[in-house]
């Protein structure tokens, strides 16, 4: 399967994503430059983490209007699988492909740690190989990861099964103490109505080898192969 | 012509920066401070537009880029320089 990983000025997990896909998972993966509208025939797209355009104005606000994003939006609207991790999630929300927004962590601190997240739905292109309710250990590293959405959006997310991951404690409970950044309802990741676009704050691409702390992130990618 | 654009977090959105600033002001002995909300101020210089047209264009700029209406409100004024 051919994957594309977008590089914006300021992206810093693009190489890790390419490494994860090519070296660890044996996929064909090509870098996509932010100025390039041509998606080079890729079958799935990754928007990586980082600080695109220096996080100027708002995280993801400027990246959203880069040339490659008009092609990514068209690709996503046609049903193509798109995964946004961390800054990629922020860009997907800014571009309107995913509902809600991400704001400053309630602690005001940049957080870098491993967290537990619970898989809330397996109906997306990126979670088909997980079991509903399964708990994963994934790293987070962000300053603006507090997911917010208004009541109507939250109701729609629940009714349409669009909440993909929640921060949980070791017992798998989505309690406030297990919420690293203040995200509403402990939400760590969401999907669009079709389930082909997924965004999450944790970094599954950093959790694909036992040597680096765990392999729980692998199936986000292998789910798409199915 | 200059557009002065103010972008502020919506009332319903937690503003941890504003809260931290309010705490600092209390610590500096300003107990009268009941709340601080922190936003952004932008100066957008415009050329070759009537004031009415400028208002239309700046409104559009705010909606498309300068503010995220899910989390922020905006207001602006246009002044001659």
């Amino acid at each position: 399967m051919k994957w594309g990983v977008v590089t914006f000025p300021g992206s810093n997990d693009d190489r890790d994503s390419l490494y994860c896909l090519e070296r660890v998972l044996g996929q064909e993966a090509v870098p996509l430059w932010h100025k390039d509208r041509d998606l080079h025939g890729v079958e799935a797209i990754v928007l990586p983490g980082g600080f695109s355009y220096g996080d100027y104005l708002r995280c993801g606000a400027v990246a959203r209007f880069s040339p490659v994003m008009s092609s990514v939006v068209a690709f996503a609207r046609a049903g193509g699988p798109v995964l946004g991790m961390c800054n990629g999630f922020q860009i997907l929300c800014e571009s309107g492909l995913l509902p809600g927004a991400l704001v400053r962590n309630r602690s005001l601190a940049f957080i870098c740690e491993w967290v537990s997240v619970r898989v809330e739905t397996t109906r997306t292109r990126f979670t088909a190989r997980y079991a509903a309710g399964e708990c994963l250990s994934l790293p987070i590293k962000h300053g603006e990861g507090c997911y917010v959405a208004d009541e109507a959006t939250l109701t729609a997310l629940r009714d349409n099964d669009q909440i993909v991951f929640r921060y949980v404690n070791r017992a798998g409970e989505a309690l406030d103490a297990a919420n690293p950044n203040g995200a509403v309802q402990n939400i760590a990741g969401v999907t669009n109505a079709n389930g082909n676009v997924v965004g999450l704050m944790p970094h599954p691409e950093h959790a694909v080898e036992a040597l680096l702390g765990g392999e729980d992130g692998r199936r986000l990618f292998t789910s798409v192969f199915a | 012509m200059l557009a002065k654009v103010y972008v502020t977090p919506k009332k319903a959105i937690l503003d941890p920066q504003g809260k931290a600033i309010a705490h600092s002001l209390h610590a500096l002995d300003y107990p009268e401070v009941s709340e601080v909300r922190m936003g952004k101020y932008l100066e957008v210089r415009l050329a070759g537009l009537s004031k009415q047209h400028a208002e239309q264009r700046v409104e559009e700029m705010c909606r498309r880029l300068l503010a995220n209406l899910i989390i922020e409100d905006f207001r602006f004024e246009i002044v001659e320089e």
Side-chain angles (χ1 to χ4, degrees):
Chain A
M1 187 164 186
K2 188 175 177 183
W3 292 70
V5 176
V6 178
T7 298
F8 300 97
S11 294
N12 62 13
D13 293 322
D14 44 342
R15 298 283 178 110
D16 302 56
S17 300
L18 287 167
Y19 169 85
C20 155
L21 288 162
E22 285 184 299
R23 303 283 189 86
V24 181
L25 301 173
Q27 299 296 294
E28 184 185 358
V30 295
L32 300 173
W33 184 235
H34 70 113
K35 283 191 172 167
D36 194 356
R37 285 172 195 275
D38 185 353
L39 297 180
H40 300 276
V42 300
E43 298 157 280
I45 293 175
V46 168
L47 300 184
F51 302 85
S52 57
Y53 299 90
D55 279 349
Y56 294 166
L57 192 62
R58 295 178 304 277
C59 305
V62 182
R64 171 202 173 177
F65 292 104
S66 63
V68 74
M69 280 308 294
S70 53
S71 306
V72 171
V73 169
F75 178 84
R77 297 223 190 276
V82 178
L83 178 66
M85 303 176 284
C86 199
N87 188 223
F89 184 18
Q90 295 163 341
I91 295 167
L92 288 173
C93 287
E94 280 284 342
S95 67
L97 285 174
L98 291 177
L102 293 141
V103 300
R104 188 70 81 91
N105 297 343
R106 67 178 161 187
S107 63
L108 286 176
F110 188 95
I111 306 169
C112 184
E113 63 188 19
W114 286 75
V115 296
S116 292
V117 297
R118 190 174 67 205
V119 178
E120 304 290 81
T121 180
T122 59
R123 74 172 184 93
T124 82
R125 291 296 303 275
F126 296 93
T127 53
R129 286 184 191 238
Y130 291 104
E134 191 177 345
C135 291
L136 316 178
S137 181
L138 299 174
I140 56 169
K141 48 182 179 101
H142 60 244
E144 285 90 1
C146 175
Y147 183 77
V148 296
D150 61 23
E151 281 303 320
T153 304
L154 289 170
T155 303
L157 286 175
R158 190 195 59 209
D159 292 350
N160 302 328
D161 195 20
Q162 285 179 252
I163 298 167
V164 185
F165 298 106
R166 278 199 168 92
Y167 301 106
V168 294
N169 60 16
R170 284 171 184 275
E173 303 158 321
L175 301 180
D176 190 58
N179 189 337
N181 51 32
V184 63
Q185 295 179 13
N186 282 41
I187 292 173
V190 299
T191 187
N192 62 345
N194 282 333
N196 64 303
V197 179
V198 168
L200 73 167
M201 286 314 296
H203 287 268
E205 83 283 19
H206 295 328
V208 291
E209 289 174 298
L211 181 66
L212 295 178
E215 301 186 332
D216 284 353
R218 271 188 188 230
R219 281 173 286 163
L220 261 111
F221 304 97
T222 61
S223 287
V224 188
F225 307 170
Chain B
M1 208 178 307
L2 181 70
K4 299 179 169 184
V5 181
Y6 305 87
V7 179
T8 48
K10 274 190 195 296
K11 278 283 170 206
I13 300 289
L14 191 71
D15 174 20
Q17 294 184 93
K19 232 171 154 179
I21 294 164
H23 281 152
S24 285
L25 289 171
H26 291 158
L28 291 174
D29 206 18
Y30 295 103
E32 66 270 36
V33 173
S34 61
E35 191 188 23
V36 177
R37 307 283 292 172
M38 191 177 131
K40 297 180 189 111
Y41 167 65
L42 300 96
E43 292 188 334
V44 183
R45 201 147 271 125
L46 306 160
L49 297 179
S50 70
K51 190 167 178 187
Q52 194 189 0
H53 194 197
E55 280 183 359
Q56 233 173 53
R57 300 281 287 174
V58 173
E59 169 93 20
E60 194 182 299
M61 289 176 206
C62 288
R63 291 182 180 282
R64 293 183 68 195
L65 176 65
L66 304 182
N68 178 339
L69 300 187
I70 298 171
I71 49 175
E72 295 166 328
D73 293 319
F74 69 87
R75 64 192 166 84
F76 63 86
E77 50 192 297
I78 291 176
V79 295
E80 303 285 350
E81 288 184 287

